[in-house]
């Protein structure tokens, strides 16, 4: 397999924050995602929303469905966390939006690669005080690139194993809750 840098497979951009001193920029109908909302999960809603005026008067932009968001900085475990947009949304400047620009990679595969490379991506962060990622650092990160058919098989395998693991966790949690109830009684 080849191991190209991500920048050759995607377009990378970041968002922006409308001025909070202008209430007319906020509480609109455009989802506005912050790094704290990135939990290596699918994104179908936002904690905050901006207006068209807020979008037009800031460096915010709208990312399409199937854009991967990567937290470039944040406290604790936030830096390096991802989310996959399933709604069009804008972001703050601390999020990098990765939109596939190459037919040689599927978005779901790239997303799983980024989730799996969380620690390695975090290690790329630079800066004194609080280390940060940048679009350049993310773009320079290498990813294994199997043929499309293998990418699809890998993603399917991950989805199946994740479902099995989630089911086992639910069963264990249920059993634990029952044991706690028995102990209390």
């Amino acid at each position: 397999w080849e191991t190209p840098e991500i920048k050759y497979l995607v377009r990378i951009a970041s968002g922006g924050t409308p001025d909070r001193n202008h209430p007319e920029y906020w509480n609109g109908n455009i989802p506005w995602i912050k790094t704290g909302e990135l939990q290596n999960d699918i994104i179908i809603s936002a904690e905050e929303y901006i207006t068209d005026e807020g979008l037009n008067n800031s460096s915010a932009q709208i990312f399409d469905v199937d854009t991967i968001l990567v937290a470039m900085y944040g406290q604790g475990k936030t830096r390096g966390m991802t989310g996959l947009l399933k709604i069009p949304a804008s972001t703050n400047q601390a999020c990098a939006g990765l939109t596939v620009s190459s037919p040689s990679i599927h978005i779901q595969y790239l997303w799983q690669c980024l989730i799996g490379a969380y620690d390695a991506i975090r290690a790329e962060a630079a800066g004194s005080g609080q280390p940060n990622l940048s679009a350049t650092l993310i773009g320079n990160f290498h990813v294994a690139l199997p043929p499309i058919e293998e990418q699809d098989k890998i993603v399917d395998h991950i989805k199946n194993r994740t479902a099995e693991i989630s089911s086992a966790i639910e069963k264990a949690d249920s059993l634990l809750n029952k044991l706690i109830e028995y102990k209390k009684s």
Side-chain angles (χ1 to χ4, degrees):
W1 297 348
E2 294 179 25
T3 56
E5 293 176 335
I6 289 175
K7 66 185 171 192
Y8 297 115
L9 304 169
V10 301
R11 182 181 72 82
I12 303 173
S14 63
T17 301
D19 189 339
R20 294 230 183 236
N21 293 322
H22 288 271
E24 66 273 17
Y25 294 174
W26 295 92
N27 301 315
N29 60 357
I30 301 169
W32 185 73
I33 309 296
K34 302 177 298 294
T35 57
E37 296 173 73
L38 304 181
Q39 300 292 317
N40 290 339
D41 211 348
I42 290 175
I43 298 172
I44 57 172
S45 64
E47 294 173 359
E48 292 187 86
Y49 290 77
I50 62 173
T51 63
D52 287 326
E53 191 174 355
L55 180 72
N56 295 331
N57 288 289
S58 71
S59 57
Q61 62 177 299
I62 295 180
F63 291 103
D64 293 329
V65 169
D66 285 337
T67 296
I68 298 170
L69 301 180
V70 179
M72 293 191 287
Y73 42 96
Q75 298 294 331
K77 69 174 190 156
T78 302
R79 184 182 70 248
M81 294 293 278
T82 67
L84 181 63
L85 286 178
K86 288 302 177 183
I87 55 170
S90 59
T91 70
N92 69 9
Q93 61 278 8
C95 295
L98 283 61
T99 307
V100 169
S101 60
S102 169
S104 62
I105 193 162
H106 280 174
I107 194 72
Q108 287 281 341
Y109 172 77
L110 178 58
W111 185 39
Q112 293 301 324
C113 287
L114 293 172
I115 291 171
Y118 171 74
D119 290 326
I121 291 170
R122 282 180 63 84
E124 294 294 318
S128 60
Q130 181 182 342
N132 296 320
L133 294 169
S134 66
T136 301
L137 289 172
I138 294 168
N140 290 340
F141 196 80
H142 291 262
V143 63
L145 190 61
I148 290 291
E149 299 77 28
E150 286 186 63
Q151 291 178 37
D152 292 340
K153 288 178 183 177
I154 290 167
V155 169
D156 287 343
H157 178 75
I158 291 170
K159 285 181 181 178
N160 291 336
R161 292 295 295 157
T162 301
E164 291 171 12
I165 293 167
S166 294
S167 176
I169 290 171
E170 286 176 22
K171 288 177 184 175
D173 285 344
S174 176
L175 179 59
L176 183 60
N177 289 335
K178 285 181 184 178
L179 291 172
I180 290 170
E181 286 178 32
Y182 291 148
K183 183 179 179 182
K184 287 180 181 178
S185 66

